[in-house]
Amino acid sequence: MGDDRGVCSEESLTGGMDVWSSSVQASSSPDHIVVMVHGILGSTTDWKFAADQFVRELPDKVIVHCSERNMYKLTLDGVDIMGERLAEEVVEVINRRPEARKISFIAHSVGGLVARYAIGRLYRPPRRKAVEDLSSGVCDDISRGTICGLEAMNFITVATPHLGSRGHKQVPFLFGVTAIEKVASIVIHLIFRRTGRHLFLNDNDEGKPPLLKLMLDDCGELYFMSALQAFKRRVAYANVGYDHIVGWRTSSIRRNSELPKWKDSISEKYPHIVYEEISEGKNSDKCTEDAMTVGNCDALEG
């Protein structure tokens, strides 16, 4: 289905939405799939406006897919179950687009955790020859591994609780009151079911550590960290204020002492951006362990 602004969209039988430019000829079909993942209790329509904007800005480069496998109450089934569903959905999208060579993910809120789980499932390690080339000083895109055979380009999260929502003012509307935070941790599963347990680190499936802690590294056949490292760009957007559900620290993956000072906008084009930091992307096992460890004097989770 097309509109008078040059954007086409198509809904699958199960409700998923693909968006692309109607001005692009079949002979020059876009080869970059952008998967957009909504947050808790969300749906494909959450990303429809953004998907249209992407296609208008990059008509000959991208096909945008708004995820549909975890809509509404299905977002309460747990990060792992949603991640498996999303992984299956992405495989189906790729199979429908044999011309695709690249893939990116843009996810909001809990959708960021779901996308992280899905790429861990979809990650394919680099070929043996690429590994040998890397050891000899030759580095190419394939040496980083792929996401289901496609080159991993951008992984972007918006207000995602990467470190969960338990304690230490991670959920601002609880006002940082320890008693209220403890009660919320106990009853959260009554509201958000299994997903709530994951967010508050209350899950212990088969005696294992909480899922969000397992996602700090590769875990068996789930390559959580290797998959993230495969992407050329990894961006985490965090709201510095007025987000009463996802705190600044958990969405920007920082300790309280690391929150930057900010005053005015740093960009005329994007006036809502008040601070920007570019990381070297180095591994830091101590940092991730400390961030999730109880008892750290400035822990992000307690």
Side-chain angles (χ1 to χ4, degrees), residues 58-73:
L58 304 166
D60 60 338
K61 298 184 184 302
V62 299
I63 300 166
V64 181
H65 176 78
C66 299
S67 175
E68 52 81 25
R69 289 293 166 84
N70 296 300
M71 294 194 295
Y72 307 123
K73 289 185 178 180

Side-chain angles (χ1 to χ4, degrees), residues 141-156:
D141 293 332
I142 305 302
S143 66
R144 296 194 309 271
T146 66
I147 301 300
C148 203
L150 302 185
E151 183 181 1
M153 301 301 293
N154 306 285
F155 191 89
I156 302 171

Side-chain angles (χ1 to χ4, degrees), residues 47-61:
W47 279 116
K48 181 63 168 64
F49 177 80
D52 289 349
Q53 300 308 306
F54 267 106
V55 170
R56 291 192 185 96
E57 288 291 324
L58 304 166
D60 60 338
K61 298 184 184 302

Side-chain angles (χ1 to χ4, degrees), residues 151-173:
E151 183 181 1
M153 301 301 293
N154 306 285
F155 191 89
I156 302 171
T157 61
V158 181
T160 289
H162 289 287
L163 299 172
S165 304
R166 189 179 76 185
H168 294 271
K169 300 181 181 180
Q170 302 290 40
V171 181
F173 83 85

Side-chain angles (χ1 to χ4, degrees), residues 112-294:
L113 299 176
V114 175
R116 282 177 53 197
Y117 188 101
I119 64 172
R121 174 65 71 192
L122 296 171
Y123 176 75
R124 294 180 183 175
R127 296 192 302 264
R128 181 177 297 275
K129 184 177 185 302
V131 174
E132 293 172 353
D133 289 343
L134 187 62
S135 64
S136 63
V138 178
C139 182
D140 58 27
D141 293 332
I142 305 302
S143 66
R144 296 194 309 271
T146 66
I147 301 300
C148 203
L150 302 185
E151 183 181 1
M153 301 301 293
N154 306 285
F155 191 89
I156 302 171
T157 61
V158 181
T160 289
H162 289 287
L163 299 172
S165 304
R166 189 179 76 185
H168 294 271
K169 300 181 181 180
Q170 302 290 40
V171 181
F173 83 85
L174 298 180
F175 306 110
V177 178
T178 302
I180 297 177
E181 291 180 337
K182 287 183 177 180
V183 171
S185 179
I186 294 170
V187 304
I188 191 65
H189 69 281
L190 299 176
I191 305 171
F192 294 117
R193 302 198 315 229
R194 196 159 183 269
T195 299
R197 291 188 182 278
H198 285 152
L199 289 175
F200 277 75
L201 283 72
N202 288 335
D203 56 305
N204 60 345
D205 295 348
E206 300 177 355
K208 297 178 181 178
L211 177 62
L212 296 193
K213 188 167 184 179
L214 292 176
M215 290 172 63
L216 291 173
D217 205 346
D218 294 347
C219 182
E221 296 181 353
L222 292 164
Y223 298 92
F224 298 123
M225 194 54 62
S226 293
L228 276 176
Q229 291 172 339
F231 285 85
K232 283 189 172 182
R233 302 174 192 86
R234 298 172 294 276
V235 182
Y237 286 99
N239 294 317
V240 298
Y242 304 106
D243 188 332
H244 303 298
I245 304 298
V246 180
W248 187 9
R249 285 183 285 176
T250 186
S251 54
S252 65
I253 320 176
R254 298 174 186 272
R255 298 179 178 87
N256 187 52
S257 60
E258 295 172 335
L259 294 178
K261 303 294 183 182
W262 58 272
K263 295 181 180 179
D264 301 319
S265 172
I266 62 173
S267 170
E268 292 184 5
K269 185 176 182 181
Y270 304 108
H272 54 285
I273 296 180
V274 297
Y275 184 82
E276 182 180 41
E277 181 178 309
I278 299 176
S279 170
E280 296 181 4
K282 294 180 180 179
N283 294 332
S284 179
D285 294 336
K286 184 178 186 301
C287 179
T288 54
E289 284 296 324
D290 284 353
M292 302 291 282
T293 300
V294 177

Side-chain angles (χ1 to χ4, degrees), residues 28-56:
S28 59
S29 297
D31 64 353
H32 189 166
I33 295 173
V34 178
V35 180
M36 308 191 83
V37 188
H38 57 75
I40 202 162
L41 299 176
S43 71
T44 57
T45 57
D46 293 1
W47 279 116
K48 181 63 168 64
F49 177 80
D52 289 349
Q53 300 308 306
F54 267 106
V55 170
R56 291 192 185 96

